[in-house]
Structures are given as structure tokens and as C-alpha cells.
Amino acid sequence: MNFSFFGDYYQFFLTGAYITIFLALIAVLLGSILGVGLTLLRRSRFLILKWVGDIYVEFIRGTPLLAQIYIIYIGVPLLFVGFDIPDLAVGAIALSLNAAAYISETIRSGIDAVSSGQMEAARSLGMNQRQAMFDIILPQAFKNILPALGNQFIGSIKDSSIVSIIGVAELMYKTTIVRGNTALGLEPIIIASAGYLVMTFTLSRILAVVERRLKTSDRR
């Protein structure tokens, strides 16, 4: 094993890790916003809206992320001639749209876990359906699904490696450059794997602390 190259190329790995975290953060933030919208669509009384939400979720969950990336990367310029999306934006959009479907399922289960009496009590106080959902139900649901959202964040960190296929300079893309420059096959991959492990382990520890504090506040 020869890791002497790391002193010359550590900036490549740091830059790649920064882009990886950025992509994962965007995916979870936008995915959560879109996930709420999808959940509301799927709970709509209008069948067409419900079908749109259900079809979207089933399509995303039933197709590989790589195919979804290519659909955006190749399909959008074909549909909108002359409209070119930067590679980083394509990666962020694809990861966000993918995360939205899974977060929608998580939010749905979180809403179902909230007692139906909460909605009835809110309506009896004069709130309409929208006010009760956003002011009463969703805050409780998000507290319940925080661990699942954390797992989605961790998953997005690892999924971001796939966008290297379209040239996004995240950690795996930078690792590929290092492998080409150093003619080393395994050692750069080990460094990148260690980087992913540090990111996911650190995030999981932070989420564990937040979860414990939430549980403590619930007991008060």
C-alpha cells in the first residue's frame, strides 16, 4: 500500500467532500419541501392530484437514480432546445427529486403516527384543514420522523457518488482524477471510503444527540 500521494492530492479529496456535503444538504432540504408537497397531493380529496403524487413516487422508487440523472441531463436539453443546465445543478436536482419521493413516504408514515384526535381537536378550535395540518400535525410528524430524515441525509451523501458519471466534481469524481494521475487503483478508493465514513459517522452522532435532546424535552 502506497499512500504517499495523499500529501499532494489531499485538496482534491477535501474539495470533493465539500461538494458531496453540499449536494446532500440541497437534496434533503429541497427533498423535504417537495416531500411535504407530494404528501399533501397524495392525501388530496381530488383523485387526479392523488394519482399524480402516487405515480411520481412509484416512478422514482421503481427506477434507478442513474436513469433519473440521465433523464434530466439528456432529456431537459432535448425538450427545451438551447437550455443547458450546469452539471452541478443537474446533480442537485436529480438527488432532490429522488429524495422527495422517499421523504414523502417518511412524512406520510409520520402523519399517520399522529393521533387522529389531534386533527379533530384542531378543527373544533376553528382551524381549517390547512391550518391544522401545518400548525399541528406536521410539526409533530417531523419530530417523529427526524431519525428517518437523518438516514435520508446519510443516504444522499452516498448517493451523490453516482452524479460523478456526468462530471460533477464530488468526492468520487475527484478520486477518479487522483487514480488517473497516480496510476494507483486501490489506495485513492480507500481514502475516499474513509472520507465517506467520517462524514456519515459524524452526521449519525450529531443526529443521535439531537434525538436524545428531543426525547428529553418530551419528558418535561
Side-chain angles (χ1 to χ4, degrees):
M1 290 290 180
N2 178 16
F3 292 97
S4 60
F5 68 92
F6 186 69
D8 296 325
Y9 289 99
Y10 73 93
Q11 286 287 356
F12 279 68
F13 294 102
L14 290 178
T15 303
Y18 169 78
I19 297 298
T20 293
I21 294 173
F22 173 77
L23 286 171
L25 186 61
I26 292 296
V28 172
L29 290 177
L30 290 183
S32 296
I33 295 171
L34 294 173
V36 170
L38 278 172
T39 302
L40 296 178
L41 281 181
R42 300 175 72 194
R43 296 174 66 89
S44 174
R45 293 172 295 177
F46 301 100
L47 278 180
I48 294 179
L49 296 180
K50 185 177 184 303
W51 288 344
V52 168
D54 288 339
I55 290 171
Y56 178 86
V57 170
E58 292 303 322
F59 174 79
I60 294 295
R61 295 178 67 194
T63 57
L65 175 57
L66 182 58
Q68 297 161 23
I69 292 171
Y70 277 133
I71 288 173
I72 297 172
Y73 184 68
I74 300 173
V76 170
L78 287 177
L79 291 174
F80 304 97
V81 178
F83 185 73
D84 189 26
I85 306 178
D87 295 343
L88 182 61
V90 171
I93 292 169
L95 289 172
S96 299
L97 294 178
N98 181 270
Y102 292 94
I103 291 175
S104 174
E105 279 292 284
T106 302
I107 294 173
R108 181 188 60 79
S109 63
I111 290 174
D112 290 342
V114 177
S115 171
S116 59
Q118 298 280 343
M119 177 62 77
E120 295 171 1
R123 296 301 300 275
S124 68
L125 292 174
M127 291 185 176
N128 58 36
Q129 187 83 13
R130 185 189 63 82
Q131 289 174 323
M133 179 61 70
F134 281 93
D135 295 340
I136 304 296
I137 305 301
L138 282 179
Q140 295 182 69
F142 268 104
K143 182 179 286 190
N144 293 334
I145 67 174
L146 182 62
L149 287 178
N151 290 334
Q152 181 63 48
F153 197 173
I154 292 172
S156 293
I157 288 176
K158 294 182 289 185
D159 288 344
S160 66
S161 62
I162 301 178
V163 303
S164 63
I165 198 71
I166 59 171
V168 178
E170 48 71 64
L171 184 53
M172 282 307 298
Y173 184 85
K174 293 290 190 180
T175 301
T176 302
I177 294 176
V178 174
R179 291 179 67 202
N181 290 348
T182 60
L184 294 171
L186 182 60
E187 290 88 340
I189 296 294
I190 292 176
I191 296 293
S193 298
Y196 281 110
L197 181 60
V198 168
M199 287 186 284
T200 56
F201 181 79
T202 301
L203 179 59
S204 65
R205 293 302 91 196
I206 293 173
L207 290 169
V209 171
V210 173
E211 189 176 353
R212 282 198 300 271
R213 289 186 176 179
L214 287 175
K215 288 181 179 178
T216 301
S217 66
D218 287 340
R219 296 192 191 103
R220 293 175 182 174

